Amino acid sequence: LNKAYGWYCPVSWIEEQALRKRVYDYRFMALFKGGVFCLADEAKLAMFEKNPEKYAQKEGKGLPSDLPIRLDYIHAHVLKAKDCVLRGKDPVDTKKIQDTNVKNVVPADGRESLVVKYKGRHYRFKDEQNLEEFMIFPRKYENVALPSLEDMLKDLLGSLGKTMAEPLIDAMTHLGKKRPIYPSAKAPESAALFVALHLKAFNAKKGDEELKICKNG
């Protein structure tokens, strides 16, 4: 094998910054200046053969020094979620959620058996597909971070605000019309009690029997 890329595809790395391996597959191998180069597929092989000088980098100018390493079963199971990046959440799943800007969705937990070590840190994955994606594009996912507690609270409050806006407006409208005063309660307490009872009475999640009790009460 050539010393610059080993089992990795030089075309994938130079063109896409992708770490694609083709181990022991002799269909897509090329010989150039005494070195054997492994290509990811037929298309990459054709590109290499068309311009081998471009892709046959000299030793030391090929792949980065830090490459992702998949841990075997024994070493993976020694690690706890707290020992992994993102507290064991899947970094690929986390980035997909962030890229789609979906709120209040928790990234999937990675499995104990699916662990990759990269630049001295450990990452867990929910399935083989996400693990393979990370192995090919580790730089894309290495700096993914979970949202801060402050951001999560903002999203939650924003979601609650949208959910509660219409019922609150309806309750305040009825309060203005009825202006109830409950026994032994002053105006502010009566207003607060009326709004609370109104929200409870018209809660869409209640059953018919519960609605009847709240409205009559």
Side-chain angles (χ1 to χ4, degrees):
L1 287 176
N2 72 91
K3 295 182 179 180
Y5 293 102
W7 294 107
Y8 288 93
C9 173
V11 179
S12 294
W13 175 249
I14 292 174
E15 300 294 344
E16 307 173 60
Q17 296 289 283
L19 295 169
R20 290 194 174 91
K21 266 186 176 181
R22 178 63 71 176
V23 181
Y24 301 122
D25 189 339
Y26 300 101
R27 294 175 300 164
F28 308 122
M29 286 186 175
L31 181 64
F32 182 70
K33 291 186 177 180
V36 176
F37 293 83
C38 304
L39 290 308
D41 51 41
E42 188 173 353
K44 299 295 190 299
L45 175 60
M47 292 175 68
F48 182 89
E49 290 178 336
K50 186 176 180 179
N51 190 359
E53 291 284 357
K54 176 181 178 181
Y55 301 112
Q57 302 286 332
K58 294 180 180 179
E59 184 178 354
K61 293 186 178 180
L63 298 172
S65 57
D66 291 312
L67 296 173
I69 301 171
R70 179 172 182 169
L71 298 190
D72 58 32
Y73 182 88
I74 296 175
H75 290 90
H77 276 261
V78 172
L79 297 169
K80 305 296 183 184
K82 64 181 179 64
D83 302 320
C84 299
V85 176
L86 304 176
R87 300 192 293 276
K89 300 292 183 184
D90 186 323
V92 177
D93 195 54
T94 302
K95 184 164 178 30
K96 287 179 181 177
I97 292 171
Q98 293 175 355
D99 288 347
T100 53
N101 202 31
V102 178
K103 304 296 183 182
N104 304 320
V105 176
V106 179
D109 289 320
R111 289 164 54 186
E112 292 181 358
S113 58
L114 302 179
V115 181
V116 170
K117 183 178 181 180
Y118 181 60
K119 293 185 177 180
R121 306 168 79 194
H122 296 94
Y123 300 81
R124 277 185 176 181
F125 302 89
K126 69 176 185 179
D127 54 34
E128 291 282 352
Q129 182 178 350
N130 280 7
L131 184 147
E132 182 63 21
E133 169 72 10
F134 185 91
M135 292 289 288
I136 295 173
F137 298 105
R139 293 181 175 183
K140 182 178 178 181
Y141 302 102
E142 65 172 317
N143 294 320
V144 173
L146 292 173
S148 65
L149 180 59
E150 182 180 354
D151 289 338
M152 293 175 67
L153 287 173
K154 284 181 180 178
D155 290 341
L156 179 60
L157 290 174
S159 177
L160 285 175
K162 293 177 182 178
T163 304
M164 295 297 295
E166 189 173 328
L168 276 173
I169 292 172
D170 188 52
M172 296 300 289
T173 300
H174 280 81
L175 174 65
K177 291 178 180 179
K178 296 182 179 294
R179 298 181 180 277
I181 298 294
Y182 292 94
S184 69
K186 297 181 180 179
E189 288 83 356
S190 293
L193 180 59
F194 177 85
V195 170
L197 289 172
H198 191 281
L199 291 173
K200 185 176 181 180
F202 292 91
N203 185 345
K205 293 184 179 180
K206 287 185 174 294
D208 293 339
E209 193 62 32
E210 289 180 287
L211 285 173
K212 188 184 297 183
I213 294 172
C214 290
K215 290 176 182 179
N216 293 337

